[in-house]
């Protein structure tokens, strides 16, 4: 005599659901381990993205005088308070590569900041100090080295799609790259390059003495 699934007690249904989930996990592991199994179905990739939309246009008056390339290794660990890491928790090792530009805003230079002598042979220009732009993460050279997740996190990934799973480590990488840029001397390099550019430009126009100063 067989017992209907509907007549099974609640704990038996829970056990059956857990066995089904574990079977799916095991099947996924076997597909990942055995080479060539995933390619049997001949998957194809299609780009159905819509056209890019122009949101705004801004006039630029800054001179990008230096650019720094940075790389940081982010080790982000998330633990549950009362559960072991094997059950609930995650750890991601991420390599982030990005650039930071240093610029001088020439749009802030007014008439009072430029002094020229009578015979136009000497010029003094006062510029604002160089500033750092926002760090830009390079997706082509940034990647996750390893991801470790607990059992509950893996089960959650089966029933939900999280496109922002790497957002936390990416934001952390951007923050570390920005911190490194502030202590790298990039702004000082930008001011030296801006000075050399303006001196060369004004001397080509006939000025024999060109003095460049920074700050108010």
């Amino acid at each position: 005599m067989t017992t209907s699934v509907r007549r099974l007690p609640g704990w038996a249904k829970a056990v059956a659901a857990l066995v089904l989930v574990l079977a799916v996990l095991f099947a996924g592991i076997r597909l990942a381990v055995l080479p060539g199994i995933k390619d049997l179905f001949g998957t194809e990739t299609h780009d159905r993205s819509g056209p890019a939309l122009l949101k705004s246009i801004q006039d630029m008056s800054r001179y990008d005088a230096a650019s720094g390339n940075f790389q940081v290794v982010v080790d982000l660990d998330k633990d549950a308070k009362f559960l072991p890491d094997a059950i609930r928790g995650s750890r991601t090792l991420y390599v982030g590569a990005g650039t930071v530009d240093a610029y001088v805003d020439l749009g802030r230079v007014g008439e009072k900041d430029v002094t020229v002598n009578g015979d136009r042979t000497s010029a003094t220009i006062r510029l604002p100090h160089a500033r750092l732009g926002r760090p830009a993460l390079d997706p082509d050279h940034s990647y996750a080295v390893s991801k470790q997740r607990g059992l509950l996190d893996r089960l959650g990934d089966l029933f939900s799609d999280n496109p922002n799973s790497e957002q936390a480590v990416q934001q952390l990488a951007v923050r570390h790259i920005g911190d490194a840029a502030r202590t790298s001397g990039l702004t000082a390099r930008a001011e030296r390059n801006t000075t050399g550019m303006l001196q060369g430009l004004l001397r080509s126009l006939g000025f024999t003495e060109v003095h460049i100063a920074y700050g108010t």
Side-chain angles (χ1 to χ4, degrees), residues 39-210:
D39 298 332
L40 292 178
F41 300 99
T43 58
E44 295 182 356
T45 301
H46 302 279
D47 185 3
R48 295 187 173 88
S49 305
L53 300 178
L54 177 62
K55 302 294 290 186
S56 64
I57 296 178
Q58 296 178 340
D59 294 330
M60 305 298 294
S61 60
R62 73 185 197 182
Y63 174 66
D64 290 331
S67 181
N69 298 312
F70 300 88
Q71 187 180 75
V72 61
V73 178
V74 177
D75 189 354
L76 184 60
D77 192 1
K78 294 183 180 180
D79 296 327
K81 292 183 178 180
F82 305 107
L83 292 175
D85 293 343
I87 301 298
R88 181 65 187 269
S90 64
R91 182 177 182 180
T92 303
L93 194 63
Y94 183 84
V95 175
T99 59
V100 179
D101 294 334
Y103 66 93
V104 175
D105 190 357
L106 300 179
R108 296 173 56 189
V109 180
E111 295 182 359
K112 60 182 179 60
D113 298 318
V114 180
T115 303
V116 179
N117 64 349
D119 57 359
R120 298 183 60 83
T121 58
S122 177
T124 300
I125 303 176
R126 183 169 294 276
L127 303 174
H129 282 294
R131 303 176 65 181
L132 293 175
R134 294 181 178 180
L137 198 64
D138 184 359
D140 293 333
H141 297 88
S142 302
Y143 53 92
V145 178
S146 65
K147 294 181 180 180
Q148 300 176 5
R149 292 169 295 174
L151 177 61
L152 294 181
D153 298 274
R154 291 181 179 272
L155 293 177
D157 292 341
L158 291 176
F159 302 102
S160 65
D161 186 12
N162 184 11
N164 299 322
S165 59
E166 292 187 356
Q167 184 177 8
V169 290
Q170 290 174 350
Q171 292 176 345
L172 198 56
V174 168
R175 185 193 310 171
H176 287 317
I177 289 175
D179 294 339
R182 282 188 285 272
T183 59
S184 65
L186 197 58
T187 54
R189 179 70 172 269
E191 292 182 0
R192 290 196 300 269
N193 293 342
T194 304
T195 297
M197 182 273 295
L198 291 176
Q199 287 177 342
L201 176 62
L202 294 177
R203 284 170 181 166
S204 66
L205 297 176
F207 290 89
T208 57
E209 293 184 10
V210 180

Side-chain angles (χ1 to χ4, degrees), residues 23-41 149 154 158:
V24 172
L25 283 177
F26 181 71
I29 294 174
R30 292 185 62 184
L31 287 176
V33 173
L34 295 177
I37 295 298
K38 294 183 179 180
D39 298 332
L40 292 178
F41 300 99
R149 292 169 295 174
R154 291 181 179 272
L158 291 176

